[in-house]
Amino acid sequence: MIKKLGVLLIMSAAVISGCNNSTMEPEEINPEIDVCEVCNMGLAHEHYATEVVTADGEVYKFDDIGCMDEFMEMEAHLKEENASKKYVRDVDTGEWVELEEAFHAYHPDFWTPMANGVVSFKDKESAENYVNEQGMGEVLDYESLENHEWSWEQ
């Protein structure tokens, strides 16, 4: 009986640790079941999706970078160093990019799921190309984005 209980405890620990995202890496989006943590809309436009991955393995998904920023304001403890990582997707490739390394094109008329007008890219050149192709907008780096006024703040 004790041997069976020990095996059960070991298996439970393995399952729990297997579910923990200790590397703080983003998860794939499943547009059929995933919904935004803030606005509760489905993540139908996967290339605009963002994620916050916490040190304790929680993954929060958003349909728009503005929803992620609003969530971070509500969950200020996640702003502490090493408490979480924030990810955006390169809109062209769908590749996950850490928010601090990404560049963004902004114009209020750029389409995004929640009309925040911020489109993310893996590099500055791609963001500049998008602005040039659209004939409007500006390129924002991480620091500029930190000072950006979101639609939900107005």
Side-chain angles (χ1 to χ4, degrees):
M1 177 71 173
I2 292 177
K3 187 175 181 179
K4 287 181 180 178
L5 183 60
V7 170
L8 182 62
L9 286 173
I10 290 171
M11 289 176 59
S12 297
V15 168
I16 289 170
S17 66
C19 295
N20 190 2
N21 188 351
S22 61
T23 59
M24 296 173 72
E25 294 295 321
E27 290 181 352
E28 286 305 313
I29 299 293
N30 184 341
E32 296 186 21
I33 60 170
D34 289 330
V35 295
C36 178
E37 196 70 34
V38 172
C39 69
N40 210 29
M41 289 181 57
L43 304 182
H45 305 283
E46 297 176 56
H47 286 202
Y48 293 89
T50 65
E51 290 185 1
V52 172
V53 183
T54 68
D56 62 1
E58 292 291 325
V59 178
Y60 299 97
K61 299 175 182 177
F62 310 92
D63 65 339
D64 187 297
I65 190 172
C67 288
M68 181 170 68
D69 191 75
E70 184 176 355
F71 177 81
M72 292 303 289
E73 285 299 312
M74 294 185 297
E75 303 290 335
H77 68 282
L78 293 177
K79 291 181 177 179
E80 295 173 14
E81 188 174 356
N82 300 322
S84 66
K85 286 187 177 181
K86 295 170 280 203
Y87 293 92
V88 296
R89 294 185 98 167
D90 179 282
V91 76
D92 290 332
T93 65
E95 176 183 336
W96 288 111
V97 182
E98 281 197 53
L99 178 63
E100 295 179 11
E101 298 170 4
F103 288 86
H104 316 274
Y106 167 70
H107 190 278
D109 291 338
F110 289 167
W111 186 90
T112 63
M114 293 304 290
N116 281 291
V118 176
V119 182
S120 300
F121 297 90
K122 64 183 176 187
D123 56 47
K124 187 176 183 178
E125 181 181 356
S126 298
E128 289 173 341
N129 288 342
Y130 186 84
V131 167
N132 290 335
E133 289 169 8
Q134 299 298 316
M136 60 184 169
E138 62 182 307
V139 174
L140 306 175
D141 62 8
Y142 179 70
E143 290 178 12
S144 300
L145 195 66
E146 287 286 300
N147 297 319
H148 180 72
E149 186 173 349
W150 298 95
S151 60
W152 61 267
E153 294 175 313
Q154 300 170 0

